[in-house]
């Protein structure tokens, strides 16, 4: 039976209440009647877990410049980032950090009272000469502080919040966006939001992997709804593994721990990064450190020959750990029973960040396969691909990305929407959503979502992670294709309307299955190694053939791939040596 339908009308609807969504809502609400739709209560969004910091060339503790930040970002991304967007981001980062400070964000301070800054991977001075202190931080709770600060401001500005509403579909009419459809988790009703403009800020999708730093809710729902509506996803083959996840659990130990002087050691106690990145050592970009860790483990130099290594903080002053890294010290005590003052921390690379996502320009406007703007549709934050991170994101650059492009998207929307009309809605806008819900709750197929999820995460972890080969990717692809067929028979046992978390998890599984599929197809096609995409059978970067973005589009039930040029302005591609 179809569910009850409730309708709303707003000028602007923002989906997602992480840093990107809230920043956009703040700007949009200056001129527009604005609603934020979020499946989580806003302050539970993943931005709140970000630990290490937000990069901006303030130059508070040593000389720095946005050009150096730009160079590091382009080089860190293995020259795949669009340099016009990177330039914009690195310039704006400075202004936005001060704006956050003025909103009340409690950053750590230098003795003179300026915002303090610390080192992070891949951030250097004078175009690669030596590490620089660029990351602005609030202990190891930077994201938490950003989220709380922005949420308070949104409340002050009377933004309407629809908390625990799960996005199901985006409504497109003649190539323009007319709104979204969402499920109200508390009641089970379907809500149609008629809007002049929609901004998607639904975050990443690390949950397609078994070992990940990402919260359970990071299933890429926003990316999936646009993909299912025939819009492209860009650079899906690039997924970042962070070097230091807690062994087996994947919970993140911030790179800030190495920024404060922490050292990675193998089973022989060696500081192995000396062999892989003689200048930046443990603070080389994440793709390089994760590969080095896999190689050490593969060559039998894991701790006691096992598949993990040590992050050693024991030589640091205990008061530095307690003051600057209090949360991670707590995590390792709680989850591992390890005292970081006296014992090294067992770590392994953990699936962390999606460089790919919904293609946008630097105004956060969504682009179709031909590169044309989709009027009324915007995306910002981890679900978007601007692309400022190219093939590998530098630490602290996601928090910059979400606030810079969330703000930009919100501003653009605030200019555009007041003068625009509401498009008429399609006739039965909720039909696709109703069908998807009723299929899952009336199926008799007997397949379990939990079982399919487990098999998917294992396959992705085994074959589509730090190192990839043609044979492995083909194996993963065959498994995903089968799992998608089995997904069609998933049968949700709980038939309740209210707070049906089993149904929600089944919806989320459908999303990660589609995104894992797109990731694997794109990874199989890219016959080179660049940034986080490392093909053992094609170990070199191949600029002649592959200095281009990939676009994956769903067409007639299959994925078709095409390419898009990279914007290069100041920095010509060079080999990456650190
Ligand atoms: C443990 C950890 C530590 C990190 N540390 C750092 C760091 O120190 N520095 C840094 O730069 N980056 C860091 N990152 C990365 C960075 O935090 C994220 O990339 C960034 O916060 C993403 O922000 P966002 O606004 O795009 O999405 P999120 O903060 O993930 O928010 C997504 C929002 O979308 C909503 N949503 C999702 N699906 C739906 C749906 N179907 N319907 C309705 N709403 C939906 C959610 O409710 C949520 O509000 C870290 C990431 C992790 C996991």
């Amino acid at each position: 039976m179809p569910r009850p339908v409730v309708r709303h009308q707003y000028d602007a609807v923002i989906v997602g209440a992480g840093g990107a969504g809230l920043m956009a809502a703040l700007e949009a609400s200056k001129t527009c009647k604005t609603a934020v739709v979020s499946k989580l209560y806003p302050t539970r969004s993943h931005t709140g877990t970000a630990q290490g910091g937000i990069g901006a060339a303030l130059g508070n503790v040593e000389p720095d410049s946005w050009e150096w930040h730009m160079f590091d970002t382009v080089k860190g991304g293995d020259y795949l980032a669009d340099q016009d967007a990177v330039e914009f981001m690195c310039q704006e980062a400075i202004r936005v950090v001060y704006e956050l400070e003025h909103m009340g964000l409690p950053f750590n301070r230098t003795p003179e009272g300026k915002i303090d800054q610390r080192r992070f991977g891949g951030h250097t001075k004078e175009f690669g000469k030596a590490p620089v202190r660029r990351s602005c931080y609030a202990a190891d709770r930077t994201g938490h502080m950003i989220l709380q600060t922005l949420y308070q401001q949104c409340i002050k500005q009377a933004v309407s919040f629809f908390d625990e509403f799960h996005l199901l579909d985006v409504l497109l009419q003649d190539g323009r966006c007319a709104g979204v459809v969402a499920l109200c988790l508390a009641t089970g009703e379907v809500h149609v939001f008629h809007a002049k403009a929609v901004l998607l800020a639904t975050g990443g999708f690390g949950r397609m992997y078994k070992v990940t730093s990402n919260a359970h809710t990071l299933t890429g729902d926003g990316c999936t709804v646009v993909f299912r509506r025939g819009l492209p996803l860009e650079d899906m083959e690039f997924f970042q593994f962070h070097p230091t996840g807690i062994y087996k659990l994947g919970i993140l130990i911030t790179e800030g721990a190495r920024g404060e002087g922490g050292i990675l050691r193998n089973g022989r106690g060696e500081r192995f990064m000396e062999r892989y990145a003689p200048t930046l050592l443990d603070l080389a970009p994440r793709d390089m450190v994760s590969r080095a860790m896999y190689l050490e483990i593969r060559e039998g130099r894991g701790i006691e020959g096992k598949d993990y290594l040590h992050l050693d903080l024991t030589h640091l002053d205990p008061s530095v750990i307690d003051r600057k890294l209090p949360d991670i010290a707590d995590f390792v005590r709680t989850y591992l029973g390890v005292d970081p003052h006296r014992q090294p921390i067992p770590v392994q690379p953990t699936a962390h960040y999606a460089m790919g996502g919904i293609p946008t320009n630097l105004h956060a406007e969504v682009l179709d396969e031909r590169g044309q703007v989709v009027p009324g549709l915007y995306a910002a934050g981890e679900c978007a691909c601007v692309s400022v991170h190219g093939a590998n994101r530098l630490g602290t650059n996601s928090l910059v990305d979400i606030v810079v492009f969330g703000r930009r998207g919100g501003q653009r929307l605030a200019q555009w929407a007041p003068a625009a009309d509401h498009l008429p809605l399609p006739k039965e806008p909720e039909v696709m959503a109703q069908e998807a819900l009723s299929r899952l709750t009336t199926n008799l197929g007997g397949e379990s979502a939990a079982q399919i999820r487990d098999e998917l995460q294992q396959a992705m972890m085994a074959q589509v992670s730090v190192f990839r080969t043609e044979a492995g990717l083909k194996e993963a692809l065959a498994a995903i294709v089968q799992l998608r067929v089995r997904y069609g028979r998933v049968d949700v046992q709980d038939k309740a309307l209210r707070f049906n978390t089993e149904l929600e998890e089944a919806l989320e599984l459908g999303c990660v299955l589609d995104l894992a599929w797109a990731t694997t197809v794109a990874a199989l096609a890219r016959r080179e190694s660049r940034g986080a995409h490392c093909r053992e059978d094609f170990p070199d970067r191949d600029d002649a053939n592959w200095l281009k973005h990939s676009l994956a589009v769903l067409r007639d039930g299959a994925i078709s791939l095409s390419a898009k040029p990279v914007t290069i302005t100041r920095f010509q591609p060079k080999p990456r040596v650190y």
Side-chain angles (χ1 to χ4, degrees), residues 17 19-20 38-40 45-47 50 52-53 165 167 221 382 396 398-399:
S38 173
K39 72 177 175 182
L40 295 171
S45 304
H46 194 72
T47 295
F165 276 67
L167 170 76
D221 311 358
E382 192 171 337
T396 77
S398 174
L399 292 181

Side-chain angles (χ1 to χ4, degrees), residues 451-464 471-487 513 516-517 520:
Q451 177 65 31
I452 295 177
R453 185 185 316 111
D454 196 43
E455 289 179 36
L456 172 73
Q457 291 173 336
Q458 305 263 20
M460 291 298 286
M461 202 68 203
Q463 310 290 9
V464 199
L473 290 167
K474 283 189 167 156
E475 202 180 299
L477 185 57
I480 293 165
V481 168
Q482 278 307 311
L483 291 171
R484 289 186 80 247
V485 172
R486 282 171 55 193
Y487 180 74
L513 272 170
W517 183 34
T520 309

Side-chain angles (χ1 to χ4, degrees), residues 58-63 110 112 115-118 133-134:
L58 307 184
N60 278 358
V61 280
E62 59 183 319
T110 64
E112 321 76 84
I115 296 174
D116 197 11
Q117 299 188 272
R118 65 178 163 206
R133 291 172 64 177
R134 184 176 291 147

Side-chain angles (χ1 to χ4, degrees), residues 15-20 37-40 45-47 49-53 165-167 201-203 213-214 218 221 252 352-353 381-382 393 396-399 402:
V15 188
V37 172
S38 173
K39 72 177 175 182
L40 295 171
S45 304
H46 194 72
T47 295
T49 69
Q51 304 169 353
F165 276 67
H166 187 113
L167 170 76
T202 49
S213 66
N214 283 198
L218 288 178
D221 311 358
L252 197 75
H352 186 58
Y353 184 85
E382 192 171 337
R393 171 173 76 79
T396 77
N397 268 357
S398 174
L399 292 181
I402 65 176

Side-chain angles (χ1 to χ4, degrees), residues 3-4 37-39 162-169 180-193 433-434 437 496-501 503-505 507:
R3 291 159 184 256
V37 172
S38 173
K39 72 177 175 182
F162 290 83
D163 299 334
E164 302 186 325
F165 276 67
H166 187 113
L167 170 76
L168 296 171
D169 197 8
V180 295
V181 183
L183 172 71
C184 170
L185 296 173
T187 62
E189 295 158 342
V190 169
H191 287 238
V192 176
F193 292 86
Q434 291 272 21
L437 294 170
L497 284 179
R498 290 174 188 278
F499 283 114
N500 190 336
T501 51
L503 174 63
E504 191 183 20
E505 284 173 15
L507 289 166

